[in-house]
């Protein structure tokens, strides 16, 4: 263990709060059979974690790897906070390098707060880089981008034909968000959804509207909430008419929780309309 890694673990343990740890373990559903089963907590608040992360802004990837592999929730979160901070300061080449690290370790990003705090801040900007490359038809992607696309293809290979039939949607086979959205891993699916927040805030709802259709039949409540939340943000950032067009078409296929989250900011009469005009036979 490096001296820096030893220090950060020591600092975290000095701020341990056993009472908060018990509360967090209930809040993050760590009992057998629950989504956070086996997760361990020190009881360190997120503001304190952010302060600690700022003390180790240049932590090496090898140390971040060990911290991210920890069974302690706060250690994983501090690792991700540092990674996000490094990503924000990085140039394009290093952003691709850090995305490669993130995707290779995505199985450690295994609770909703870890996903929500990292996916839109890393995968969103990475996909923007890829989009810019594709828009420059005369410029071939860099070797780093090609290598990362290869990693994505291998790590998140899925049976898209089973979902879309024998003729998948254009480019769907090579799309990171589609691969994540079709994953059997709950947190991969949530990462796909939350990544779209980056685009929604820029007034671009296309990705979440596409993923929402894929996830209409998802069985997990955490996915229903995440999709509904992002649809609500579409109404806020991209226009209520775009949200309502989607709702009118899919309200009868949406899980009730997803619908309730999506309409949360609509006027009272609109909420009543969407909730009272459901096809209750479905």
């Amino acid at each position: 263990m490096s001296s820096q890694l030893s220090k950060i673990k020591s600092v975290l343990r000095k701020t341990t709060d056993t009472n908060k740890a018990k509360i967090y373990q209930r809040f993050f559903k760590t009992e057998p059979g629950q989504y956070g089963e086996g997760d361990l907590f020190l009881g360190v608040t997120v503001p304190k974690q952010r302060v600690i992360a700022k003390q180790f802004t240049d932590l090496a990837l090898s140390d971040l790897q060990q911290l991210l592999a920890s069974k302690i929730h706060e250690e994983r979160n501090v690792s991700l906070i540092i990674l996000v901070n490094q990503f924000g300061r990085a140039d394009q080449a290093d952003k691709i390098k850090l995305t490669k690290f993130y995707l290779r370790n995505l199985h450690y990003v295994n609770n909703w707060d870890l996903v929500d705090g990292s996916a839109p801040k890393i995968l969103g900007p990475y996909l923007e880089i890829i989009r810019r490359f594709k828009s420059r038809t005369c410029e071939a992607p860099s070797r780093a981008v090609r290598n990362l696309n290869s990693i994505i293809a291998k790590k998140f290979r899925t049976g898209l034909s089973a979902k879309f039939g024998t003729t998948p949607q254009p480019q769907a086979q090579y799309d990171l968000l589609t691969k994540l959205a079709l994953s059997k891993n709950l947190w991969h699916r949530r990462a796909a959804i939350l990544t779209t927040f980056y685009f929604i805030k820029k007034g671009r709802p296309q990705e979440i509207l596409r993923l929402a259709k894929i996830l209409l039949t998802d069985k997990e409540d955490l996915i229903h909430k995440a999709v509904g939340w992002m649809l609500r943000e579409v109404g806020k950032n991209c226009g209520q008419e775009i949200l309502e067009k989607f709702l009118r078409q899919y309200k009868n296929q949406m899980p009730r929780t997803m619908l309730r989250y999506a309409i949360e900011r609509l006027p009272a009469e609109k909420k009543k309309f969407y909730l009272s005009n459901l096809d209750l036979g479905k």
Side-chain angles (χ1 to χ4, degrees):
M1 184 185 299
S2 74
S3 60
Q4 285 290 89
L5 186 58
S6 179
K7 284 179 184 177
I8 198 168
K9 285 177 173 282
S10 176
V11 172
L12 276 167
R13 277 156 181 75
K14 286 179 181 177
T15 55
T16 294
D17 184 323
T18 54
N19 289 327
K20 280 189 172 65
K22 292 177 182 177
I23 294 170
Y24 292 163
Q25 289 195 209
R26 290 195 298 272
F27 182 71
F28 286 100
K29 308 297 184 185
T30 62
E31 294 297 317
Q34 295 181 317
Y35 62 73
E37 180 177 352
D39 211 352
L40 302 176
F41 287 82
L42 297 173
V44 184
T45 65
V46 172
K48 287 182 179 178
Q49 291 176 47
R50 294 193 182 281
V51 170
I52 293 169
K54 286 183 179 179
Q55 299 172 33
F56 299 89
T57 55
D58 297 318
L59 198 66
L61 285 184
S62 57
D63 288 337
L64 285 175
Q65 168 82 59
Q66 292 188 58
L67 204 60
L68 193 52
S70 172
K71 294 181 179 180
I72 305 298
H73 189 98
E74 290 91 341
E75 291 186 351
R76 300 202 304 284
N77 198 39
V78 167
S79 177
L80 289 168
I81 292 170
I82 295 171
L83 185 65
V84 166
N85 290 342
Q86 290 184 0
F87 187 94
R89 301 193 310 271
D91 60 21
Q92 182 171 289
D94 282 339
K95 277 181 166 61
I96 293 172
K97 176 183 177 182
L98 293 172
T99 303
K100 179 178 177 180
F101 172 87
Y102 182 72
L103 288 171
R104 281 182 167 163
N105 290 280
L106 196 59
H107 53 290
Y108 295 125
V109 187
N110 56 359
N111 215 312
W112 60 263
D113 61 322
L114 306 180
V115 171
D116 296 5
S118 60
K121 296 175 182 177
I122 294 176
L123 296 183
Y126 162 72
L127 290 173
E128 186 81 315
I129 291 171
I130 299 304
R131 187 184 70 85
R132 287 200 298 268
F133 273 125
K134 288 181 178 179
S135 68
R136 299 171 191 169
T137 55
C138 295
E139 180 178 347
S142 69
R143 179 178 296 179
V145 171
R146 293 198 303 272
N147 289 344
L148 185 47
N149 286 339
S150 177
I151 289 170
I152 291 166
K154 291 177 182 177
K155 189 171 181 64
F156 303 107
R157 187 179 290 118
T158 58
L160 295 182
S161 59
K163 189 74 179 180
F164 296 120
T166 55
T167 56
Q169 294 179 357
Q171 299 183 333
Q173 291 173 309
Y174 309 102
D175 177 64
L176 171 60
L177 292 185
T178 303
K179 291 177 186 295
L180 290 174
L182 293 174
S183 172
K184 293 180 180 179
N185 185 303
L186 163 64
W187 306 118
H188 290 178
R189 301 200 302 279
R190 188 166 175 114
I193 299 162
L194 265 293
T195 296
T196 68
F197 202 3
Y198 175 85
F199 301 106
I200 292 168
K201 288 187 285 188
K202 293 178 176 291
R204 289 152 52 190
Q206 296 86 348
E207 287 304 315
I208 185 56
L209 297 179
R210 181 172 66 84
L211 295 189
K213 295 173 191 176
I214 294 173
L215 294 164
L216 284 172
T217 58
D218 199 280
K219 304 300 182 185
E220 293 288 346
D221 187 62
L222 281 170
I223 299 300
H224 303 168
K225 290 178 179 177
V227 173
W229 171 21
M230 290 300 102
L231 289 174
R232 185 178 73 217
E233 292 298 325
V234 167
K236 176 184 176 182
N237 293 276
C238 309
Q240 184 176 313
E241 66 280 2
I242 295 175
L243 169 61
E244 290 202 65
K245 181 179 179 182
F246 184 89
L247 293 176
R248 286 193 296 271
Q249 185 171 359
Y250 294 103
K251 68 181 188 302
N252 285 308
Q253 297 168 248
M254 296 170 70
R256 181 60 70 96
T257 297
M258 186 186 295
L259 178 61
R260 285 190 176 276
Y261 269 62
I263 66 175
E264 194 171 70
R265 286 201 184 100
L266 293 182
E269 66 274 14
K270 291 283 188 180
K271 291 181 184 178
K272 183 177 180 180
F273 169 79
Y274 286 111
L275 290 173
S276 62
N277 284 275
L278 294 177
D279 182 350
L280 299 180
K282 290 189 178 182

